[in-house]
PDB file of all heavy atoms in Angstrom:
ATOM      1  N   SER Y 159     -34.211  19.345   3.272  1.00  0.00           N
ATOM      2  CA  SER Y 159     -32.871  19.005   3.750  1.00  0.00           C
ATOM      3  C   SER Y 159     -31.951  20.213   3.862  1.00  0.00           C
ATOM      4  O   SER Y 159     -31.776  20.962   2.899  1.00  0.00           O
ATOM      5  CB  SER Y 159     -32.236  17.960   2.794  1.00  0.00           C
ATOM      6  OG  SER Y 159     -30.876  17.800   3.143  1.00  0.00           O
ATOM      7  N   SER Y 165     -27.741  19.138  -2.765  1.00  0.00           N
ATOM      8  CA  SER Y 165     -28.893  18.239  -2.813  1.00  0.00           C
ATOM      9  C   SER Y 165     -29.728  18.394  -4.081  1.00  0.00           C
ATOM     10  O   SER Y 165     -30.432  17.470  -4.455  1.00  0.00           O
ATOM     11  CB  SER Y 165     -29.823  18.531  -1.608  1.00  0.00           C
ATOM     12  OG  SER Y 165     -29.145  18.251  -0.412  1.00  0.00           O
ATOM     13  N   GLU Y 166     -29.653  19.554  -4.690  1.00  0.00           N
ATOM     14  CA  GLU Y 166     -30.450  19.764  -5.894  1.00  0.00           C
ATOM     15  C   GLU Y 166     -29.590  19.602  -7.141  1.00  0.00           C
ATOM     16  O   GLU Y 166     -28.405  19.334  -7.054  1.00  0.00           O
ATOM     17  CB  GLU Y 166     -31.069  21.191  -5.888  1.00  0.00           C
ATOM     18  CG  GLU Y 166     -32.054  21.416  -4.755  1.00  0.00           C
ATOM     19  CD  GLU Y 166     -31.378  22.010  -3.531  1.00  0.00           C
ATOM     20  OE1 GLU Y 166     -30.148  22.241  -3.590  1.00  0.00           O
ATOM     21  OE2 GLU Y 166     -32.065  22.239  -2.514  1.00  0.00           O
ATOM     22  N   GLY Y 167     -30.219  19.809  -8.311  1.00  0.00           N
ATOM     23  CA  GLY Y 167     -29.468  19.761  -9.571  1.00  0.00           C
ATOM     24  C   GLY Y 167     -28.655  21.021  -9.735  1.00  0.00           C
ATOM     25  O   GLY Y 167     -27.791  21.306  -8.906  1.00  0.00           O
ATOM     26  N   CYS Y 168     -28.937  21.799 -10.779  1.00  0.00           N
ATOM     27  CA  CYS Y 168     -28.146  22.987 -10.995  1.00  0.00           C
ATOM     28  C   CYS Y 168     -29.019  24.189 -11.249  1.00  0.00           C
ATOM     29  O   CYS Y 168     -30.243  24.089 -11.418  1.00  0.00           O
ATOM     30  CB  CYS Y 168     -27.194  22.777 -12.194  1.00  0.00           C
ATOM     31  SG  CYS Y 168     -28.072  22.503 -13.754  1.00  0.00           S
ATOM     32  N   ASN Y 180     -26.711  22.002 -27.127  1.00  0.00           N
ATOM     33  CA  ASN Y 180     -26.578  20.543 -27.029  1.00  0.00           C
ATOM     34  C   ASN Y 180     -26.051  19.873 -28.302  1.00  0.00           C
ATOM     35  O   ASN Y 180     -25.202  19.006 -28.241  1.00  0.00           O
ATOM     36  CB  ASN Y 180     -27.911  19.911 -26.627  1.00  0.00           C
ATOM     37  CG  ASN Y 180     -27.768  18.449 -26.256  1.00  0.00           C
ATOM     38  OD1 ASN Y 180     -26.809  18.089 -25.587  1.00  0.00           O
ATOM     39  ND2 ASN Y 180     -28.680  17.620 -26.710  1.00  0.00           N
ATOM     40  N   GLN Y 183     -21.461  20.623 -32.572  1.00  0.00           N
ATOM     41  CA  GLN Y 183     -20.259  19.804 -32.474  1.00  0.00           C
ATOM     42  C   GLN Y 183     -19.104  20.652 -31.942  1.00  0.00           C
ATOM     43  O   GLN Y 183     -18.896  21.775 -32.381  1.00  0.00           O
ATOM     44  CB  GLN Y 183     -19.888  19.253 -33.852  1.00  0.00           C
ATOM     45  CG  GLN Y 183     -20.824  18.124 -34.319  1.00  0.00           C
ATOM     46  CD  GLN Y 183     -20.234  17.355 -35.485  1.00  0.00           C
ATOM     47  OE1 GLN Y 183     -19.658  17.962 -36.396  1.00  0.00           O
ATOM     48  NE2 GLN Y 183     -20.361  16.040 -35.475  1.00  0.00           N
ATOM     49  N   GLN Y 184     -18.408  20.085 -31.001  1.00  0.00           N
ATOM     50  CA  GLN Y 184     -17.288  20.812 -30.391  1.00  0.00           C
ATOM     51  C   GLN Y 184     -16.081  19.888 -30.229  1.00  0.00           C
ATOM     52  O   GLN Y 184     -16.245  18.676 -30.143  1.00  0.00           O
ATOM     53  CB  GLN Y 184     -17.705  21.308 -28.990  1.00  0.00           C
ATOM     54  CG  GLN Y 184     -18.732  22.411 -28.981  1.00  0.00           C
ATOM     55  CD  GLN Y 184     -18.133  23.759 -29.374  1.00  0.00           C
ATOM     56  OE1 GLN Y 184     -16.927  23.967 -29.244  1.00  0.00           O
ATOM     57  NE2 GLN Y 184     -18.970  24.652 -29.868  1.00  0.00           N
ATOM     58  N   TYR Y 187     -12.157  17.283 -24.798  1.00  0.00           N
ATOM     59  CA  TYR Y 187     -11.083  17.441 -23.824  1.00  0.00           C
ATOM     60  C   TYR Y 187     -10.771  18.893 -23.425  1.00  0.00           C
ATOM     61  O   TYR Y 187      -9.610  19.267 -23.295  1.00  0.00           O
ATOM     62  CB  TYR Y 187      -9.825  16.743 -24.342  1.00  0.00           C
ATOM     63  CG  TYR Y 187     -10.069  15.287 -24.602  1.00  0.00           C
ATOM     64  CD1 TYR Y 187     -10.077  14.753 -25.883  1.00  0.00           C
ATOM     65  CD2 TYR Y 187     -10.364  14.419 -23.531  1.00  0.00           C
ATOM     66  CE1 TYR Y 187     -10.337  13.394 -26.118  1.00  0.00           C
ATOM     67  CE2 TYR Y 187     -10.632  13.070 -23.755  1.00  0.00           C
ATOM     68  CZ  TYR Y 187     -10.610  12.577 -25.036  1.00  0.00           C
ATOM     69  OH  TYR Y 187     -10.876  11.250 -25.264  1.00  0.00           O
ATOM     70  N   THR Y 218     -12.376  16.633  -4.364  1.00  0.00           N
ATOM     71  CA  THR Y 218     -11.330  15.675  -4.032  1.00  0.00           C
ATOM     72  C   THR Y 218     -10.407  15.515  -5.226  1.00  0.00           C
ATOM     73  O   THR Y 218      -9.171  15.453  -5.072  1.00  0.00           O
ATOM     74  CB  THR Y 218     -11.952  14.309  -3.638  1.00  0.00           C
ATOM     75  OG1 THR Y 218     -12.730  14.493  -2.453  1.00  0.00           O
ATOM     76  CG2 THR Y 218     -10.892  13.262  -3.387  1.00  0.00           C
ATOM     77  N   GLN Y 219     -11.007  15.442  -6.403  1.00  0.00           N
ATOM     78  CA  GLN Y 219     -10.209  15.323  -7.627  1.00  0.00           C
ATOM     79  C   GLN Y 219      -9.286  16.549  -7.784  1.00  0.00           C
ATOM     80  O   GLN Y 219      -8.094  16.385  -8.095  1.00  0.00           O
ATOM     81  CB  GLN Y 219     -11.164  15.243  -8.803  1.00  0.00           C
ATOM     82  CG  GLN Y 219     -10.551  14.816 -10.094  1.00  0.00           C
ATOM     83  CD  GLN Y 219     -11.632  14.596 -11.139  1.00  0.00           C
ATOM     84  OE1 GLN Y 219     -12.222  15.552 -11.619  1.00  0.00           O
ATOM     85  NE2 GLN Y 219     -11.886  13.343 -11.486  1.00  0.00           N
ATOM     86  N   ASN Y 246     -11.897  13.733   4.845  1.00  0.00           N
ATOM     87  CA  ASN Y 246     -13.035  13.320   4.055  1.00  0.00           C
ATOM     88  C   ASN Y 246     -12.711  12.908   2.638  1.00  0.00           C
ATOM     89  O   ASN Y 246     -13.536  12.992   1.738  1.00  0.00           O
ATOM     90  CB  ASN Y 246     -14.071  14.462   4.021  1.00  0.00           C
ATOM     91  CG  ASN Y 246     -14.641  14.716   5.393  1.00  0.00           C
ATOM     92  OD1 ASN Y 246     -14.111  15.515   6.167  1.00  0.00           O
ATOM     93  ND2 ASN Y 246     -15.665  13.952   5.759  1.00  0.00           N
ATOM     94  N   THR Y 248     -10.765   9.896   1.940  1.00  0.00           N
ATOM     95  CA  THR Y 248     -10.316   8.508   1.901  1.00  0.00           C
ATOM     96  C   THR Y 248      -8.820   8.377   1.581  1.00  0.00           C
ATOM     97  O   THR Y 248      -8.400   7.481   0.837  1.00  0.00           O
ATOM     98  CB  THR Y 248     -11.148   7.734   0.840  1.00  0.00           C
ATOM     99  OG1 THR Y 248     -12.512   8.142   0.913  1.00  0.00           O
ATOM    100  CG2 THR Y 248     -11.113   6.226   1.092  1.00  0.00           C
ATOM    101  N   ALA Y 250      -6.958  10.290  -0.238  1.00  0.00           N
ATOM    102  CA  ALA Y 250      -6.668  10.534  -1.641  1.00  0.00           C
ATOM    103  C   ALA Y 250      -5.286  11.140  -1.861  1.00  0.00           C
ATOM    104  O   ALA Y 250      -4.601  10.830  -2.838  1.00  0.00           O
ATOM    105  CB  ALA Y 250      -7.734  11.447  -2.247  1.00  0.00           C
ATOM    106  N   THR Y 358     -19.611  22.784  -7.783  1.00  0.00           N
ATOM    107  CA  THR Y 358     -20.543  21.737  -7.328  1.00  0.00           C
ATOM    108  C   THR Y 358     -21.411  22.212  -6.161  1.00  0.00           C
ATOM    109  O   THR Y 358     -22.601  21.897  -6.091  1.00  0.00           O
ATOM    110  CB  THR Y 358     -19.758  20.482  -6.891  1.00  0.00           C
ATOM    111  OG1 THR Y 358     -18.828  20.122  -7.935  1.00  0.00           O
ATOM    112  CG2 THR Y 358     -20.689  19.316  -6.639  1.00  0.00           C
ATOM    113  N   ALA Y 362     -23.660  24.419  -9.757  1.00  0.00           N
ATOM    114  CA  ALA Y 362     -23.323  23.609 -10.941  1.00  0.00           C
ATOM    115  C   ALA Y 362     -23.697  22.154 -10.697  1.00  0.00           C
ATOM    116  O   ALA Y 362     -23.961  21.757  -9.557  1.00  0.00           O
ATOM    117  CB  ALA Y 362     -21.816  23.716 -11.257  1.00  0.00           C
ATOM    118  N   LYS Y 384      -5.140  14.443 -17.063  1.00  0.00           N
ATOM    119  CA  LYS Y 384      -5.462  13.236 -17.844  1.00  0.00           C
ATOM    120  C   LYS Y 384      -5.059  11.988 -17.089  1.00  0.00           C
ATOM    121  O   LYS Y 384      -5.804  11.008 -17.028  1.00  0.00           O
ATOM    122  CB  LYS Y 384      -4.727  13.316 -19.196  1.00  0.00           C
ATOM    123  CG  LYS Y 384      -4.860  12.067 -20.047  1.00  0.00           C
ATOM    124  CD  LYS Y 384      -6.326  11.812 -20.468  1.00  0.00           C
ATOM    125  CE  LYS Y 384      -6.441  10.468 -21.216  1.00  0.00           C
ATOM    126  NZ  LYS Y 384      -7.850  10.110 -21.391  1.00  0.00           N
ATOM    127  N   GLN Y 385      -3.864  12.009 -16.487  1.00  0.00           N
ATOM    128  CA  GLN Y 385      -3.383  10.805 -15.811  1.00  0.00           C
ATOM    129  C   GLN Y 385      -4.256  10.381 -14.639  1.00  0.00           C
ATOM    130  O   GLN Y 385      -4.390   9.182 -14.349  1.00  0.00           O
ATOM    131  CB  GLN Y 385      -1.959  11.037 -15.312  1.00  0.00           C
ATOM    132  CG  GLN Y 385      -1.291   9.767 -14.827  1.00  0.00           C
ATOM    133  CD  GLN Y 385       0.085  10.015 -14.276  1.00  0.00           C
ATOM    134  OE1 GLN Y 385       0.247  10.724 -13.302  1.00  0.00           O
ATOM    135  NE2 GLN Y 385       1.089   9.477 -14.918  1.00  0.00           N
ATOM    136  N   LYS Y 392     -16.142  15.145 -22.951  1.00  0.00           N
ATOM    137  CA  LYS Y 392     -17.037  16.285 -23.216  1.00  0.00           C
ATOM    138  C   LYS Y 392     -16.791  17.398 -22.222  1.00  0.00           C
ATOM    139  O   LYS Y 392     -17.612  17.697 -21.356  1.00  0.00           O
ATOM    140  CB  LYS Y 392     -18.497  15.797 -23.172  1.00  0.00           C
ATOM    141  CG  LYS Y 392     -18.831  14.807 -24.293  1.00  0.00           C
ATOM    142  CD  LYS Y 392     -20.287  14.389 -24.296  1.00  0.00           C
ATOM    143  CE  LYS Y 392     -20.504  13.371 -25.436  1.00  0.00           C
ATOM    144  NZ  LYS Y 392     -21.814  12.706 -25.372  1.00  0.00           N
ATOM    145  N   ARG Y 394     -17.072  20.245 -22.660  1.00  0.00           N
ATOM    146  CA  ARG Y 394     -18.093  21.274 -22.828  1.00  0.00           C
ATOM    147  C   ARG Y 394     -19.025  21.331 -21.636  1.00  0.00           C
ATOM    148  O   ARG Y 394     -19.545  22.390 -21.291  1.00  0.00           O
ATOM    149  CB  ARG Y 394     -18.910  20.963 -24.082  1.00  0.00           C
ATOM    150  CG  ARG Y 394     -19.607  19.608 -23.966  1.00  0.00           C
ATOM    151  CD  ARG Y 394     -20.107  19.053 -25.314  1.00  0.00           C
ATOM    152  NE  ARG Y 394     -21.196  19.819 -25.847  1.00  0.00           N
ATOM    153  CZ  ARG Y 394     -21.431  19.979 -27.131  1.00  0.00           C
ATOM    154  NH1 ARG Y 394     -20.645  19.374 -28.018  1.00  0.00           N
ATOM    155  NH2 ARG Y 394     -22.428  20.705 -27.574  1.00  0.00           N
TER     156      ARG Y 394
ATOM    157  N   SER B 708     -17.997  16.953 -38.315  1.00  0.00           N
ATOM    158  CA  SER B 708     -16.869  16.174 -37.786  1.00  0.00           C
ATOM    159  C   SER B 708     -17.183  14.693 -37.645  1.00  0.00           C
ATOM    160  O   SER B 708     -18.171  14.306 -37.016  1.00  0.00           O
ATOM    161  CB  SER B 708     -16.477  16.746 -36.410  1.00  0.00           C
ATOM    162  OG  SER B 708     -15.536  15.880 -35.798  1.00  0.00           O
ATOM    163  N   TYR B 713     -17.970  11.845 -29.423  1.00  0.00           N
ATOM    164  CA  TYR B 713     -18.313  12.676 -28.259  1.00  0.00           C
ATOM    165  C   TYR B 713     -18.248  14.161 -28.593  1.00  0.00           C
ATOM    166  O   TYR B 713     -17.931  14.986 -27.735  1.00  0.00           O
ATOM    167  CB  TYR B 713     -17.448  12.323 -27.038  1.00  0.00           C
ATOM    168  CG  TYR B 713     -15.965  12.139 -27.358  1.00  0.00           C
ATOM    169  CD1 TYR B 713     -15.118  13.229 -27.477  1.00  0.00           C
ATOM    170  CD2 TYR B 713     -15.432  10.870 -27.547  1.00  0.00           C
ATOM    171  CE1 TYR B 713     -13.777  13.048 -27.762  1.00  0.00           C
ATOM    172  CE2 TYR B 713     -14.095  10.674 -27.854  1.00  0.00           C
ATOM    173  CZ  TYR B 713     -13.265  11.772 -27.949  1.00  0.00           C
ATOM    174  OH  TYR B 713     -11.945  11.598 -28.229  1.00  0.00           O
ATOM    175  N   SER B 714     -18.591  14.478 -29.834  1.00  0.00           N
ATOM    176  CA  SER B 714     -18.552  15.878 -30.270  1.00  0.00           C
ATOM    177  C   SER B 714     -19.774  16.665 -29.859  1.00  0.00           C
ATOM    178  O   SER B 714     -19.730  17.898 -29.746  1.00  0.00           O
ATOM    179  CB  SER B 714     -18.403  15.963 -31.789  1.00  0.00           C
ATOM    180  OG  SER B 714     -17.206  15.424 -32.194  1.00  0.00           O
ATOM    181  N   GLU B 715     -20.885  15.990 -29.666  1.00  0.00           N
ATOM    182  CA  GLU B 715     -22.103  16.701 -29.277  1.00  0.00           C
ATOM    183  C   GLU B 715     -22.363  16.585 -27.795  1.00  0.00           C
ATOM    184  O   GLU B 715     -21.603  15.973 -27.071  1.00  0.00           O
ATOM    185  CB  GLU B 715     -23.313  16.101 -30.056  1.00  0.00           C
ATOM    186  CG  GLU B 715     -23.218  16.292 -31.572  1.00  0.00           C
ATOM    187  CD  GLU B 715     -22.576  15.078 -32.229  1.00  0.00           C
ATOM    188  OE1 GLU B 715     -22.238  14.128 -31.522  1.00  0.00           O
ATOM    189  OE2 GLU B 715     -22.433  15.107 -33.475  1.00  0.00           O
ATOM    190  N   GLY B 716     -23.493  17.172 -27.362  1.00  0.00           N
ATOM    191  CA  GLY B 716     -23.885  17.080 -25.957  1.00  0.00           C
ATOM    192  C   GLY B 716     -24.427  15.699 -25.670  1.00  0.00           C
ATOM    193  O   GLY B 716     -23.719  14.694 -25.821  1.00  0.00           O
ATOM    194  N   CYS B 717     -25.704  15.621 -25.285  1.00  0.00           N
ATOM    195  CA  CYS B 717     -26.261  14.308 -24.974  1.00  0.00           C
ATOM    196  C   CYS B 717     -27.614  14.117 -25.647  1.00  0.00           C
ATOM    197  O   CYS B 717     -28.189  15.034 -26.229  1.00  0.00           O
ATOM    198  CB  CYS B 717     -26.432  14.169 -23.453  1.00  0.00           C
ATOM    199  SG  CYS B 717     -27.576  15.347 -22.732  1.00  0.00           S
ATOM    200  N   ASN B 729     -34.710  18.490 -11.762  1.00  0.00           N
ATOM    201  CA  ASN B 729     -33.638  19.398 -11.333  1.00  0.00           C
ATOM    202  C   ASN B 729     -33.723  19.865  -9.901  1.00  0.00           C
ATOM    203  O   ASN B 729     -32.713  19.884  -9.205  1.00  0.00           O
ATOM    204  CB  ASN B 729     -33.578  20.609 -12.279  1.00  0.00           C
ATOM    205  CG  ASN B 729     -32.318  21.432 -12.075  1.00  0.00           C
ATOM    206  OD1 ASN B 729     -31.235  20.875 -11.916  1.00  0.00           O
ATOM    207  ND2 ASN B 729     -32.440  22.743 -12.077  1.00  0.00           N
ATOM    208  N   GLN B 732     -34.734  17.485  -4.138  1.00  0.00           N
ATOM    209  CA  GLN B 732     -33.579  17.244  -3.264  1.00  0.00           C
ATOM    210  C   GLN B 732     -33.313  15.731  -3.208  1.00  0.00           C
ATOM    211  O   GLN B 732     -34.239  14.933  -3.059  1.00  0.00           O
ATOM    212  CB  GLN B 732     -33.863  17.774  -1.861  1.00  0.00           C
ATOM    213  CG  GLN B 732     -33.817  19.298  -1.758  1.00  0.00           C
ATOM    214  CD  GLN B 732     -33.762  19.764  -0.327  1.00  0.00           C
ATOM    215  OE1 GLN B 732     -34.431  19.223   0.529  1.00  0.00           O
ATOM    216  NE2 GLN B 732     -32.936  20.774  -0.061  1.00  0.00           N
ATOM    217  N   GLN B 733     -32.061  15.406  -3.333  1.00  0.00           N
ATOM    218  CA  GLN B 733     -31.662  13.996  -3.311  1.00  0.00           C
ATOM    219  C   GLN B 733     -30.415  13.808  -2.458  1.00  0.00           C
ATOM    220  O   GLN B 733     -29.637  14.746  -2.303  1.00  0.00           O
ATOM    221  CB  GLN B 733     -31.323  13.535  -4.738  1.00  0.00           C
ATOM    222  CG  GLN B 733     -32.513  13.433  -5.673  1.00  0.00           C
ATOM    223  CD  GLN B 733     -33.376  12.221  -5.384  1.00  0.00           C
ATOM    224  OE1 GLN B 733     -32.909  11.250  -4.801  1.00  0.00           O
ATOM    225  NE2 GLN B 733     -34.646  12.290  -5.786  1.00  0.00           N
ATOM    226  N   THR B 767     -10.985   6.561 -18.685  1.00  0.00           N
ATOM    227  CA  THR B 767      -9.685   6.442 -18.038  1.00  0.00           C
ATOM    228  C   THR B 767      -9.876   6.282 -16.529  1.00  0.00           C
ATOM    229  O   THR B 767      -9.194   5.462 -15.885  1.00  0.00           O
ATOM    230  CB  THR B 767      -8.829   7.698 -18.339  1.00  0.00           C
ATOM    231  OG1 THR B 767      -8.582   7.760 -19.743  1.00  0.00           O
ATOM    232  CG2 THR B 767      -7.495   7.679 -17.599  1.00  0.00           C
ATOM    233  N   GLN B 768     -10.806   7.034 -15.992  1.00  0.00           N
ATOM    234  CA  GLN B 768     -11.122   6.927 -14.564  1.00  0.00           C
ATOM    235  C   GLN B 768     -11.603   5.509 -14.206  1.00  0.00           C
ATOM    236  O   GLN B 768     -11.149   4.918 -13.230  1.00  0.00           O
ATOM    237  CB  GLN B 768     -12.215   7.942 -14.246  1.00  0.00           C
ATOM    238  CG  GLN B 768     -12.426   8.184 -12.795  1.00  0.00           C
ATOM    239  CD  GLN B 768     -13.384   9.331 -12.602  1.00  0.00           C
ATOM    240  OE1 GLN B 768     -14.572   9.210 -12.841  1.00  0.00           O
ATOM    241  NE2 GLN B 768     -12.904  10.473 -12.158  1.00  0.00           N
ATOM    242  N   ASN B 795      -3.287   5.738 -24.488  1.00  0.00           N
ATOM    243  CA  ASN B 795      -4.021   6.992 -24.468  1.00  0.00           C
ATOM    244  C   ASN B 795      -4.454   7.445 -23.107  1.00  0.00           C
ATOM    245  O   ASN B 795      -5.409   8.188 -22.969  1.00  0.00           O
ATOM    246  CB  ASN B 795      -5.228   6.876 -25.395  1.00  0.00           C
ATOM    247  CG  ASN B 795      -4.807   6.707 -26.841  1.00  0.00           C
ATOM    248  OD1 ASN B 795      -4.641   5.598 -27.313  1.00  0.00           O
ATOM    249  ND2 ASN B 795      -4.564   7.820 -27.515  1.00  0.00           N
ATOM    250  N   THR B 797      -2.024   8.469 -20.568  1.00  0.00           N
ATOM    251  CA  THR B 797      -0.925   9.161 -19.897  1.00  0.00           C
ATOM    252  C   THR B 797      -0.353   8.357 -18.726  1.00  0.00           C
ATOM    253  O   THR B 797      -0.020   8.907 -17.674  1.00  0.00           O
ATOM    254  CB  THR B 797      -1.414  10.548 -19.386  1.00  0.00           C
ATOM    255  OG1 THR B 797      -2.260  11.134 -20.384  1.00  0.00           O
ATOM    256  CG2 THR B 797      -0.281  11.496 -19.129  1.00  0.00           C
ATOM    257  N   ALA B 799      -1.865   6.301 -16.765  1.00  0.00           N
ATOM    258  CA  ALA B 799      -2.760   6.309 -15.584  1.00  0.00           C
ATOM    259  C   ALA B 799      -2.672   5.029 -14.774  1.00  0.00           C
ATOM    260  O   ALA B 799      -2.740   5.061 -13.555  1.00  0.00           O
ATOM    261  CB  ALA B 799      -4.199   6.539 -16.054  1.00  0.00           C
ATOM    262  N   THR B 907     -20.369   7.948 -22.169  1.00  0.00           N
ATOM    263  CA  THR B 907     -19.814   9.154 -22.801  1.00  0.00           C
ATOM    264  C   THR B 907     -19.800   9.087 -24.327  1.00  0.00           C
ATOM    265  O   THR B 907     -20.080  10.065 -25.002  1.00  0.00           O
ATOM    266  CB  THR B 907     -18.367   9.398 -22.286  1.00  0.00           C
ATOM    267  OG1 THR B 907     -18.358   9.318 -20.864  1.00  0.00           O
ATOM    268  CG2 THR B 907     -17.870  10.743 -22.719  1.00  0.00           C
ATOM    269  N   ALA B 911     -24.448   9.999 -23.576  1.00  0.00           N
ATOM    270  CA  ALA B 911     -24.471  10.670 -22.283  1.00  0.00           C
ATOM    271  C   ALA B 911     -23.536  11.868 -22.298  1.00  0.00           C
ATOM    272  O   ALA B 911     -22.696  12.004 -23.190  1.00  0.00           O
ATOM    273  CB  ALA B 911     -24.068   9.698 -21.179  1.00  0.00           C
ATOM    274  N   LYS B 933     -13.972   6.804  -4.213  1.00  0.00           N
ATOM    275  CA  LYS B 933     -13.802   8.068  -3.488  1.00  0.00           C
ATOM    276  C   LYS B 933     -12.327   8.475  -3.466  1.00  0.00           C
ATOM    277  O   LYS B 933     -11.987   9.635  -3.701  1.00  0.00           O
ATOM    278  CB  LYS B 933     -14.327   7.897  -2.051  1.00  0.00           C
ATOM    279  CG  LYS B 933     -14.096   9.118  -1.175  1.00  0.00           C
ATOM    280  CD  LYS B 933     -14.847  10.355  -1.632  1.00  0.00           C
ATOM    281  CE  LYS B 933     -14.478  11.591  -0.811  1.00  0.00           C
ATOM    282  NZ  LYS B 933     -14.951  12.818  -1.441  1.00  0.00           N
ATOM    283  N   GLN B 934     -11.449   7.512  -3.203  1.00  0.00           N
ATOM    284  CA  GLN B 934     -10.035   7.850  -3.088  1.00  0.00           C
ATOM    285  C   GLN B 934      -9.451   8.406  -4.378  1.00  0.00           C
ATOM    286  O   GLN B 934      -8.528   9.237  -4.348  1.00  0.00           O
ATOM    287  CB  GLN B 934      -9.241   6.611  -2.663  1.00  0.00           C
ATOM    288  CG  GLN B 934      -7.813   6.928  -2.287  1.00  0.00           C
ATOM    289  CD  GLN B 934      -7.012   5.687  -1.936  1.00  0.00           C
ATOM    290  OE1 GLN B 934      -6.821   4.808  -2.747  1.00  0.00           O
ATOM    291  NE2 GLN B 934      -6.565   5.619  -0.710  1.00  0.00           N
ATOM    292  N   LYS B 941     -22.954  15.179  -6.630  1.00  0.00           N
ATOM    293  CA  LYS B 941     -24.249  15.055  -7.285  1.00  0.00           C
ATOM    294  C   LYS B 941     -24.263  13.826  -8.178  1.00  0.00           C
ATOM    295  O   LYS B 941     -24.334  13.912  -9.418  1.00  0.00           O
ATOM    296  CB  LYS B 941     -24.556  16.330  -8.088  1.00  0.00           C
ATOM    297  CG  LYS B 941     -24.758  17.548  -7.149  1.00  0.00           C
ATOM    298  CD  LYS B 941     -25.113  18.817  -7.910  1.00  0.00           C
ATOM    299  CE  LYS B 941     -25.246  19.981  -6.910  1.00  0.00           C
ATOM    300  NZ  LYS B 941     -25.357  21.290  -7.574  1.00  0.00           N
ATOM    301  N   ARG B 943     -26.534  12.110  -8.779  1.00  0.00           N
ATOM    302  CA  ARG B 943     -27.772  12.133  -9.570  1.00  0.00           C
ATOM    303  C   ARG B 943     -27.483  12.372 -11.062  1.00  0.00           C
ATOM    304  O   ARG B 943     -28.234  11.896 -11.908  1.00  0.00           O
ATOM    305  CB  ARG B 943     -28.674  13.237  -9.050  1.00  0.00           C
ATOM    306  CG  ARG B 943     -28.026  14.625  -9.176  1.00  0.00           C
ATOM    307  CD  ARG B 943     -28.718  15.688  -8.327  1.00  0.00           C
ATOM    308  NE  ARG B 943     -30.045  16.009  -8.819  1.00  0.00           N
ATOM    309  CZ  ARG B 943     -31.033  16.416  -8.035  1.00  0.00           C
ATOM    310  NH1 ARG B 943     -30.814  16.527  -6.724  1.00  0.00           N
ATOM    311  NH2 ARG B 943     -32.207  16.705  -8.502  1.00  0.00           N
TER     312      ARG B 943
END
Side-chain angles (χ1 to χ4, degrees):
Chain Y
S159 170
S165 297
E166 296 93 0
C168 63
N180 191 41
Q183 286 195 319
Q184 291 284 337
Y187 302 112
T218 297
Q219 193 173 72
N246 294 91
T248 319
T358 310
K384 175 64 186 169
Q385 190 182 63
K392 294 183 181 169
R394 62 196 291 150
Chain B
S708 170
Y713 43 82
S714 296
E715 296 93 0
C717 63
N729 191 42
Q732 286 194 319
Q733 290 286 337
T767 297
Q768 193 173 72
N795 294 91
T797 319
T907 311
K933 175 64 186 167
Q934 190 183 63
K941 294 182 182 170
R943 61 195 292 149

